[in-house]
Amino acid sequence: MLQNLLRSFRRERVGDALYELVVRQARDPGFYTTLGVADRIDARFELYTLHMLLLTMRLKDEGTEQGADAGQQLFDTYVSALDHTLRELGVGDISVGKKMRKLGESLYGRMTAYEQPLRDGDAALLAERLARNVMESETTSDGAALAAYALAGRERLAAQPFAEVMKAPAWAEVKA
């Protein structure tokens, strides 16, 4: 019994540590200054979601129970952080469920929209979707630099050994 309790505690810490790595990268000022992402809460949500997806995909692509577990922990921590953020913003207990359902739909929608182009290396389709969701533009070229960043990040993470990814993911450089 004590072993299960300690395992649960360790699991939580892994998710928290991975989430912190995602947040740190998604807050890189280059996204806002170099790539032109608007510094708004919805755009930050989009960047957090993109980075969470990139790291989750890498962890699960490891093909091991440890990788799948770490990816799930990261996802669970992200969802918990969204709930916590809503509460910090003053959303009442009654409204949190409705807002979380809406955020969950957005989150799954983004993950679905980005995952296949990331797996296929389809820069054009990824740029189109990132332009629409992150840049709020119908012009595909507005998402091209962010798509190039995401694809480069996916490549770098895939080339990095699992143990290193868990400590310090090799994110791509933010550049135009």
Side-chain angles (χ1 to χ4, degrees):
M1 170 139 152
L2 183 58
Q3 191 174 26
N4 288 339
L5 180 63
L6 292 175
R7 185 180 313 134
S8 176
F9 182 70
R10 282 191 299 267
R11 285 178 45 95
E12 194 173 293
R13 287 185 169 245
V14 168
D16 289 347
L18 292 170
Y19 177 69
E20 179 59 37
L21 295 169
V22 164
V23 169
R24 191 175 309 142
Q25 182 62 21
R27 288 182 177 167
D28 184 316
F31 291 112
Y32 308 99
T33 58
T34 305
L35 299 185
V37 174
D39 190 8
R40 295 186 321 265
I41 194 164
D42 56 330
R44 286 187 294 245
F45 166 78
E46 297 291 347
L47 287 176
Y48 293 163
T49 299
L50 176 63
H51 286 87
M52 189 275 306
L53 177 61
L54 285 167
L55 189 52
T56 300
M57 286 173 64
R58 168 56 182 97
L59 296 170
K60 290 185 175 188
D61 286 351
E62 185 68 15
T64 64
E65 186 178 331
Q66 183 183 15
D69 189 48
Q72 186 62 53
Q73 289 175 55
L74 171 58
F75 179 80
D76 293 346
T77 301
Y78 182 56
V79 171
S80 178
L82 290 174
D83 180 271
H84 181 72
T85 299
L86 284 176
R87 293 176 191 280
E88 279 187 342
L89 291 172
V91 175
D93 286 339
I94 295 171
S95 299
V96 167
K98 291 178 188 177
K99 294 212 183 269
M100 277 302 295
R101 185 176 57 234
K102 221 175 162 178
L103 273 175
E105 290 169 1
S106 292
L107 174 62
Y108 284 113
R110 296 318 186 261
M111 291 173 66
T112 301
Y114 304 152
E115 184 171 5
Q116 203 56 55
L118 283 166
R119 288 198 184 282
D120 295 342
D122 189 340
L125 183 56
L126 185 59
E128 175 188 314
R129 292 175 177 177
L130 290 170
R132 183 179 46 235
N133 295 325
V134 181
M135 311 303 273
E136 295 185 343
S137 170
E138 294 302 320
T139 307
T140 300
S141 62
D142 290 345
L146 187 54
Y149 163 83
L151 290 167
R154 174 136 168 85
E155 239 177 72
R156 289 189 62 175
L157 290 167
Q160 189 179 22
F162 181 76
E164 290 177 27
V165 170
M166 293 290 289
K167 293 180 199 166
W171 304 108
E173 184 181 338
V174 180
K175 56 185 178 184

